[in-house]
Amino acid sequence: RLCYIFMVSPVFRVLRNKYPDSKIDVLVNSQFTEMKILLSEVDKVIGFDRQGLQSGLGEAACPLMDSFDYLAEIINELNATQYDLVINLTQNKLSGYLTALIDTKERIGLSINANEQASYSSPWFRYLNDYVASGASTTFHYTDIFKFSLSADSKNMQFYFSENKKGDDEAKSFFAEINKTNCRKIVIQALT
């Protein structure tokens, strides 16, 4: 979900501050690749067809090997980059399996190996899995969990989205169009 990407966005600033000369790539569902324009700390957004992959692995009408071939293609592309660190900021099984399949020196967050054994690298990521994913009420926000699990200071965990020309032009165009009519206008902020 797009709102989740925004909730984890302070993590990218923490990583940029901690590893200023590193390359930061983010793997997201393909429909969210446009979010790159809002995240200046991210170098590359890699999209993959999560829905298609999951459907292909679970639906009888889909050719089974197509999904395995697509999965192998994704993993080969990621492994070709030779990442030093992979951080899984979600708690679903697919991301846990993907995290385990990526060759890396270090993993943070949920990783599920071929024997179905989960590891978390931090009690905070275990907390994220056990309480938040189950829908239980919690006193911690996602950003708090990431702050504690990544040992980040509060200053770097604030939300910040920089304006860019494309976004500014899009907003001006939108308001110019709606101002052409004399009808009543309602604006809804869909994200917090």
Side-chain angles (χ1 to χ4, degrees):
R1 297 182 308 195
L2 186 58
C3 61
Y4 185 81
I5 294 170
F6 291 121
M7 282 195 298
V8 302
S9 63
V11 169
F12 307 130
R13 190 171 321 99
V14 166
L15 293 172
R16 178 59 66 209
N17 289 337
K18 190 171 183 177
Y19 307 106
D21 298 325
S22 66
K23 180 180 174 203
I24 299 175
D25 295 345
V26 178
L27 179 67
V28 297
N29 299 351
S30 53
Q31 70 264 34
F32 302 130
T33 56
E34 289 297 318
M35 65 81 164
K36 165 65 177 100
I37 62 172
L38 296 174
L39 303 171
S40 59
E41 294 86 5
V42 173
D43 295 301
K44 181 179 178 184
V45 173
I46 303 164
F48 79 104
D49 182 12
R50 176 182 171 213
Q51 185 77 26
L53 178 63
Q54 287 181 303
S55 295
L57 292 172
E59 294 178 12
C62 296
L64 181 63
M65 294 314 295
D66 287 355
S67 291
F68 282 106
D69 291 342
Y70 179 61
L71 179 60
E73 181 183 314
I74 295 166
I75 296 303
N76 289 337
E77 177 186 339
L78 295 169
N79 284 338
T81 304
Q82 299 178 336
Y83 291 105
D84 295 308
L85 172 63
V86 172
I87 302 172
N88 182 1
L89 297 173
T90 66
Q91 67 276 350
N92 64 58
K93 278 188 162 185
L94 178 59
S95 67
Y97 291 129
L98 288 172
T99 300
L101 291 170
I102 300 170
D103 294 331
T104 184
K105 296 174 185 172
E106 182 180 3
R107 285 180 185 80
I108 297 176
L110 175 63
S111 178
I112 304 172
N113 68 20
N115 296 325
E116 296 287 319
Q117 294 173 320
S119 62
Y120 299 94
S121 73
S122 163
W124 286 102
F125 278 107
R126 177 69 189 240
Y127 173 86
L128 179 67
N129 184 73
D130 292 349
Y131 294 98
V132 179
S134 72
S137 82
T138 177
T139 56
F140 296 102
H141 189 275
Y142 279 108
T143 54
D144 292 326
I145 294 168
F146 299 135
K147 175 177 67 177
F148 298 137
S149 62
L150 297 171
S151 302
D153 64 35
S154 295
K155 179 180 140 195
N156 289 330
M157 292 302 292
Q158 295 175 358
F159 291 95
Y160 172 78
F161 300 105
S162 58
E163 286 186 34
N164 60 44
K165 178 143 177 46
K166 181 179 177 182
D168 189 46
D169 290 345
E170 186 177 323
K172 286 177 183 173
S173 171
F174 171 79
F175 286 111
E177 189 63 34
I178 65 169
N179 285 332
K180 289 180 182 177
T181 64
N182 272 342
C183 66
R184 197 169 170 194
K185 298 160 186 75
I186 300 171
V187 176
I188 299 171
Q189 180 181 339
L191 303 170
T192 57

